[in-house]
Amino acid sequence: MPQRHSKNNNDLAFFTYEEKRKLGYGTQRERLGKDSIKPFDACCLCLKPLIDPLCCPKGHTFCKECILECLLAQKKDIKRKLAAHEAQKKQEKEEEEEKLMLQKAKELDAFDQQNHGAVPQYHDRSGSQDKNGFHGANSVKVTSFEEEALRNMKAFWLPSATPEAMVKVDAPSTDTVCPEGQEKLKLKSLFPISFTEENADQKSKKSVEKSYMCPSCKSTLTNTMTLVAISTCGHVFCKKCSDKFLVKDKVCLECNKPFKERNLVPLEKGGTGFAAHDERLEARDFKYLGSGSGLGLVKPAPKAY
């Protein structure tokens, strides 16, 4: 079958739409597969099966060791930033005192010269004389610390003589955050959760990995189901049993421990990859053409969902 001439017309001075499409120009969309989505029983940090699982109030699950190391690293980083901020404040205070001392020294020098009959002449940076002349110690023209340093500096083009711009360190926040949801998180707000494993007769023969079930309806837990954990005892149920029994009775069906409605925490799930289920299952990258090269340079999109 002959090819269409419009798709192979390469004698133009610009790229056609078909040529741009072949180079990958524009927004590239890709549906996330099942292998790219985190299982419900995997840690949000190490992406491995949960070991001594802990859950945050927003429903993100972590291994106990992973989340403790993460919070400890955040505290060390906050401590380092606080030390850098205090050092910067101390340096700024010393520079301000140095400027005041320099200003007082200039005023005293001018006052001393006036008393001895010497009339100093002050020139600006262009070499022109001060039009206002000299009218006493209080009217002495005092330059700033930066201008004085630039006047006295020689060979300013050398790296060793070039002044360095100070990087201002803002006061850091002293709160640790959840690595997944980026909300404030304290160690005492984490609570342990426990999944109910399936029995040997209920478990399929081909399955090698651990599988969990809902303690109430005995259905196997998968990524297609919305799970709910009780923060007081840590037992995990499916959403249907939670709405049907837990919300009404306010008692755990596994340990008969009472709780309040605010203790029901829906667990975050990764989805399954099917188009009709969940959201945030599509990754996008914007690809644009290099200037005059004909090569595509990949630039990540501002949002990926």
Side-chain angles (χ1 to χ4, degrees), residues 217-273:
C217 61
K218 307 300 181 183
S219 58
T220 304
L221 302 181
T222 62
N223 273 12
T224 59
M225 305 171 65
T226 302
L227 307 180
V228 178
I230 304 175
S231 61
T232 54
C233 60
H235 291 108
V236 180
F237 298 86
C238 64
K239 180 67 174 176
K240 292 182 179 179
C241 295
S242 173
D243 295 339
K244 191 174 182 179
F245 304 109
L246 299 181
V247 175
K248 295 180 179 179
D249 299 336
K250 304 291 190 302
V251 175
C252 178
L253 301 177
E254 184 72 8
C255 60
N256 294 327
K257 188 176 180 180
F259 61 88
K260 297 181 180 180
E261 189 172 356
R262 65 171 181 267
N263 297 126
L264 294 175
V265 179
L267 300 183
E268 289 288 335
K269 55 183 179 178
T272 58

Side-chain angles (χ1 to χ4, degrees), residues 156-255:
F156 58 87
W157 56 87
L158 296 177
S160 59
T162 305
E164 296 181 356
M166 290 183 58
V167 180
K168 189 174 182 180
V169 181
D170 298 330
S173 175
T174 57
D175 298 321
T176 53
V177 297
C178 176
E180 186 71 14
Q182 299 302 320
E183 68 270 357
K184 292 182 181 180
L185 179 64
K186 295 183 179 180
L187 182 61
K188 63 181 181 181
S189 62
L190 296 169
F191 59 92
I193 58 174
S194 60
F195 295 97
T196 305
E197 292 191 27
E198 287 185 335
N199 300 329
D201 52 347
Q202 295 177 343
K203 191 175 181 180
S204 61
K205 297 181 180 179
K206 296 182 181 180
S207 178
V208 180
E209 300 178 353
K210 289 184 179 180
S211 57
Y212 303 99
M213 66 177 183
C214 175
S216 177
C217 61
K218 307 300 181 183
S219 58
T220 304
L221 302 181
T222 62
N223 273 12
T224 59
M225 305 171 65
T226 302
L227 307 180
V228 178
I230 304 175
S231 61
T232 54
C233 60
H235 291 108
V236 180
F237 298 86
C238 64
K239 180 67 174 176
K240 292 182 179 179
C241 295
S242 173
D243 295 339
K244 191 174 182 179
F245 304 109
L246 299 181
V247 175
K248 295 180 179 179
D249 299 336
K250 304 291 190 302
V251 175
C252 178
L253 301 177
E254 184 72 8
C255 60

Side-chain angles (χ1 to χ4, degrees), residues 13 29 50 77 120 156:
R29 293 180 175 87
L50 291 167
D77 190 41
F156 58 87

Side-chain angles (χ1 to χ4, degrees), residues 13-297:
F14 55 87
F15 283 120
T16 62
Y17 172 77
E18 186 64 24
E19 289 172 339
K20 288 182 178 180
R21 195 175 65 84
K22 287 181 179 180
L23 288 172
Y25 173 79
T27 302
Q28 307 295 320
R29 293 180 175 87
E30 184 177 353
R31 196 72 183 174
L32 298 179
K34 185 178 180 181
D35 296 336
S36 302
I37 298 172
K38 182 184 75 68
F40 71 92
D41 59 341
C43 174
C44 293
L45 291 174
C46 65
L47 303 180
K48 295 179 181 179
L50 291 167
I51 301 175
D52 297 330
L54 294 177
C55 183
C56 74
K58 296 294 183 180
H60 302 108
T61 55
F62 310 94
C63 297
K64 185 175 183 179
E65 183 179 359
C66 296
I67 189 62
L68 292 181
E69 287 181 357
C70 179
L71 294 179
L72 181 61
Q74 289 185 33
K75 289 184 178 180
K76 289 182 178 179
D77 190 41
I78 291 172
K79 188 177 180 180
R80 178 185 58 81
K81 290 181 179 179
L82 285 174
H85 182 65
E86 291 296 330
Q88 177 183 293
K89 289 173 62 177
K90 184 178 180 181
Q91 184 178 0
E92 290 177 353
K93 186 177 180 181
E94 291 177 355
E95 289 181 356
E96 190 68 25
E97 292 176 355
E98 186 178 355
K99 289 180 183 179
L100 292 175
M101 290 177 61
L102 182 61
Q103 183 178 358
K104 288 182 180 179
K106 284 191 174 184
E107 291 178 357
L108 290 174
D109 187 25
F111 184 75
D112 184 60
Q113 290 180 4
Q114 182 188 19
N115 290 339
H116 288 80
V119 180
Q121 299 293 336
Y122 292 92
H123 300 268
D124 57 8
R125 300 180 67 178
S126 62
S128 61
Q129 189 177 358
D130 190 3
K131 297 179 180 180
N132 297 326
F134 181 76
H135 301 288
N138 293 331
S139 63
V140 175
K141 183 179 179 181
V142 180
T143 59
S144 63
F145 180 76
E146 290 81 8
E147 291 177 353
E148 190 70 15
L150 289 175
R151 282 185 185 178
N152 299 331
M153 186 173 60
K154 298 179 181 180
F156 58 87
W157 56 87
L158 296 177
S160 59
T162 305
E164 296 181 356
M166 290 183 58
V167 180
K168 189 174 182 180
V169 181
D170 298 330
S173 175
T174 57
D175 298 321
T176 53
V177 297
C178 176
E180 186 71 14
Q182 299 302 320
E183 68 270 357
K184 292 182 181 180
L185 179 64
K186 295 183 179 180
L187 182 61
K188 63 181 181 181
S189 62
L190 296 169
F191 59 92
I193 58 174
S194 60
F195 295 97
T196 305
E197 292 191 27
E198 287 185 335
N199 300 329
D201 52 347
Q202 295 177 343
K203 191 175 181 180
S204 61
K205 297 181 180 179
K206 296 182 181 180
S207 178
V208 180
E209 300 178 353
K210 289 184 179 180
S211 57
Y212 303 99
M213 66 177 183
C214 175
S216 177
C217 61
K218 307 300 181 183
S219 58
T220 304
L221 302 181
T222 62
N223 273 12
T224 59
M225 305 171 65
T226 302
L227 307 180
V228 178
I230 304 175
S231 61
T232 54
C233 60
H235 291 108
V236 180
F237 298 86
C238 64
K239 180 67 174 176
K240 292 182 179 179
C241 295
S242 173
D243 295 339
K244 191 174 182 179
F245 304 109
L246 299 181
V247 175
K248 295 180 179 179
D249 299 336
K250 304 291 190 302
V251 175
C252 178
L253 301 177
E254 184 72 8
C255 60
N256 294 327
K257 188 176 180 180
F259 61 88
K260 297 181 180 180
E261 189 172 356
R262 65 171 181 267
N263 297 126
L264 294 175
V265 179
L267 300 183
E268 289 288 335
K269 55 183 179 178
T272 58
F274 293 101
H277 174 71
D278 212 346
E279 51 188 29
R280 298 179 64 185
L281 297 178
E282 188 181 69
R284 294 193 305 174
D285 274 340
F286 180 74
K287 196 173 184 181
Y288 64 97
L289 300 179
S291 177
S293 64
L295 300 176
L297 302 177

